[in-house]
Amino acid sequence: MVWLDLPRWQVTLQVLRRTLKRRLPRPQQLWNGNVEPPLHTFFTDPEHVARYAIIHHSQKRRKVLRLADNRRDLTTDAGIDLDDIRDIFADTAPAAAVNHDVAIVLRMRTPGGRMGLLSDLVTSRLKNLPEGSLRQADLDNLLIIERIFSPLGAAVNASRYIALGTHPDLRELSDRVEAVEEKLDDTIAVDDPRVAQVAAERHAFEQALNAVIEDSGLTEDEDAIFEYWDALHPASADEGQDGAGQDACAGQDPTSVTDAIGKMPYDYSPARLRCMELAEEIAANESPAS
């Protein structure tokens, strides 16, 4: 989203200049036979285009800021003057609303861009990680997960990237598995023995990752997130206590992973999709004792 946030004086000058040009020396016919109304209607018609632009300038800014807050995936930067926001809304909006607009702008200005686009629930888990431990691809994945499965899903999945960011050996293993998975392109048949081999490697990595998450106490953090989320979003009587949406986004139900992957905007080959399915089957068939 590109927003041309022009100052009020510039908008006023441009719209008045355009209106005068279309009326003087004689009215110009625009599209579908339309013409600008007589100049005196500027004083009598609240909806006159020039008058409307002047009056609603600050309201449009607030509307765009709300859009930027609701769709954080659409914007990565903002050249908005914070004092300008305070001055515009100081007399017309509560202090909390003004501070909220300022917070939106600050979030859009966050270094790295993508971190600032994630919800506070997610960033609260990532903010203490060592600098450079998170990759751009990690943040991209979390953004997509948040958009599809809600902030709860991204906050829980953040455990994965926290573990990778704090355990270089685990990150190295992850890179190796992803490298062999990428080789399962459209030239590889779904029944090729390499598919099952890579699935076994993926399963082994996921076991190592889950062990690190468990040993690091991240599962306790996830439990706290679920409790916090439930307190903010109490379930109605007919929703049940463990809806499929929550399980899918949190990754707690292995049988839902394929459905979750199907919602992700990645163009995986049939062989790679089959590899993921086989990795799920291995996890589901493996006994807890082993």
Side-chain angles (χ1 to χ4, degrees):
M1 180 177 71
V2 178
W3 173 27
L4 300 180
D5 183 30
L6 303 178
R8 187 197 298 267
W9 68 264
Q10 185 173 352
V11 172
T12 301
L13 182 62
Q14 289 177 342
V15 73
L16 288 177
R17 182 184 298 156
R18 185 183 64 188
T19 296
L20 291 173
K21 182 179 180 180
R22 290 175 174 176
R23 287 295 307 181
L24 301 175
R26 64 179 60 86
Q28 294 182 14
Q29 182 171 319
L30 305 175
W31 49 90
N32 297 327
N34 290 316
V35 294
E36 288 272 4
L39 294 179
H40 70 83
T41 59
F42 175 86
F43 303 99
T44 60
D45 183 8
E47 298 298 318
H48 187 282
V49 61
R51 187 171 171 182
Y52 183 91
I54 297 170
I55 294 174
H56 292 272
H57 180 269
S58 60
Q59 296 179 20
K60 293 293 185 181
R61 171 174 284 177
R62 180 173 290 277
K63 182 177 180 180
V64 173
L65 285 172
R66 292 288 181 266
L67 172 63
D69 191 36
N70 292 332
R71 291 297 307 277
R72 300 180 189 181
D73 56 317
L74 294 183
T75 176
T76 60
D77 192 15
I80 308 169
D81 188 271
L82 302 183
D83 291 332
D84 193 23
I85 292 176
R86 294 189 179 97
D87 292 342
I88 287 176
F89 298 123
D91 298 330
T92 60
V98 178
N99 292 335
H100 180 65
D101 289 336
V102 172
I104 296 172
V105 176
L106 289 174
R107 186 185 301 116
M108 289 190 286
R109 289 180 176 178
T110 301
R114 288 165 176 79
M115 179 73 83
L117 302 178
L118 290 164
S119 66
D120 295 338
L121 185 64
V122 183
T123 56
S124 64
R125 301 202 67 200
L126 304 173
K127 61 183 180 182
N128 294 324
L129 285 176
E131 184 176 356
S133 60
L134 281 176
R135 297 178 178 177
Q136 178 175 308
D138 299 338
L139 296 174
D140 286 343
N141 286 335
L142 287 172
L143 274 171
I144 294 170
I145 291 169
E146 181 174 314
R147 289 289 160 253
I148 298 177
F149 301 111
S150 82
L152 173 63
V156 173
N157 274 273
S159 294
R160 182 183 194 90
Y161 301 104
I162 294 172
L164 291 174
T166 53
H167 293 77
D169 54 338
L170 195 62
R171 173 73 80 174
E172 184 179 348
L173 178 58
S174 174
D175 290 342
R176 289 203 301 268
V177 173
E178 289 182 6
V180 294
E181 284 180 335
E182 289 177 359
K183 294 180 180 179
L184 298 178
D185 55 23
D186 290 329
T187 65
I188 306 298
V190 294
D191 57 353
D192 190 296
R194 286 172 289 182
V195 175
Q197 180 181 347
V198 176
E201 294 181 32
R202 165 57 65 181
H203 173 65
F205 163 73
E206 294 297 336
Q207 280 190 314
L209 175 64
N210 290 334
V212 169
I213 292 175
E214 186 75 28
D215 295 341
S216 302
L218 293 172
T219 51
E220 286 81 0
D221 294 341
E222 293 173 4
D223 292 338
I225 291 172
F226 277 119
E227 292 177 3
Y228 173 76
W229 184 266
D230 289 341
L232 291 180
H233 307 83
S236 59
D238 58 345
E239 283 184 315
Q241 297 302 312
D242 55 349
Q246 185 184 80
D247 286 341
C249 71
Q252 300 299 315
D253 179 6
T255 62
S256 68
V257 174
T258 301
D259 294 336
I261 292 171
K263 297 180 180 180
M264 302 291 275
Y266 300 131
D267 187 20
Y268 291 134
S269 68
R272 189 163 181 178
L273 288 174
R274 179 55 182 159
C275 174
M276 296 175 180
E277 293 174 354
L278 288 175
E280 288 183 51
E281 293 175 8
I282 296 172
N285 294 330
E286 193 172 64
S287 65
S290 60

